[in-house]
Amino acid sequence: MNIALEEAKKAMETGEVPVGAVIASGVGEIISSAFNTVEKDCSCIMHAEIKAILDAQKNLKNWRLDECSLYVTLEPCIMCCGAILLSRISRVVYGTIDPKGGSSSTILNDKIEVVSGVREEESSLLLKLFFKSKREIPRFVK
């Protein structure tokens, strides 16, 4: 989860929503890591999880990620949950819940091991800081 948090910080530095993801093999070897690039790529599908899955599949030369674990700072959305299921990831570990868009509890729970709340405070703080900075209105002196 440390690497996922570092990826999330990279996203925030580039103006992206700070979400980072890492895929590790069954023996703990890091296969891929990524962060959101929705704004940069002008694509709603460039979530950290999707990018990490694509990179892992390319690195392994296999679309099946059996026995792999996905570590992500924010609970996956419905799109990412679909990709997680289709890629056959065995375990998802995430930091903080996404009350508006998270879908892991309804989609993944019976099929994939899901662990929540890992480094939750750090994951949540990054998101709060990011969105607070977006809400701040610059004051102009007249």
Side-chain angles (χ1 to χ4, degrees):
M1 190 59 93
N2 291 338
I3 297 169
L5 283 163
E6 290 303 316
E7 291 289 331
K9 290 174 187 173
K10 290 179 193 175
M12 191 155 83
E13 290 169 5
T14 64
E16 300 280 352
V17 175
V19 178
V22 173
I23 295 182
S25 70
V27 295
E29 177 187 351
I30 303 298
I31 300 168
S32 67
S33 63
F35 59 87
N36 280 356
T37 59
V38 170
E39 299 297 333
K40 175 185 163 251
D41 294 327
C42 296
S43 174
C44 62
I45 65 170
M46 288 290 94
H47 290 192
E49 301 94 310
I50 299 296
K51 292 182 65 181
I53 289 169
L54 290 170
D55 287 349
Q57 291 169 333
K58 183 178 178 182
N59 292 340
L60 294 176
K61 296 180 176 66
N62 192 342
W63 64 269
R64 295 174 188 88
L65 301 178
D66 297 310
E67 299 182 23
C68 289
S69 294
L70 169 69
Y71 297 85
V72 62
T73 57
L74 181 65
E75 179 182 14
C77 71
I78 191 166
M79 173 186 69
C80 293
C81 286
I84 290 164
L85 286 169
L86 291 171
S87 65
R88 300 182 181 171
I89 288 174
S90 301
R91 182 172 176 239
V92 173
V93 178
Y94 69 86
T96 191
I97 63 165
D98 181 354
K100 291 184 179 180
S103 296
S104 66
S105 62
T106 55
I107 296 175
L108 301 178
N109 266 352
D110 292 338
K111 298 162 186 70
I112 295 173
E113 179 186 359
V114 176
V115 179
S116 63
V118 176
R119 306 288 298 270
E120 180 176 13
E121 191 172 314
E122 296 102 321
S123 298
S124 178
L125 181 60
L126 282 174
L127 289 160
K128 287 176 184 174
L129 290 172
F130 176 80
F131 287 111
K132 181 181 180 194
S133 75
K134 294 295 181 190
R135 287 190 295 271
E136 289 177 354
I137 299 170
R139 298 179 191 263
F140 298 100
V141 179
K142 291 185 180 181

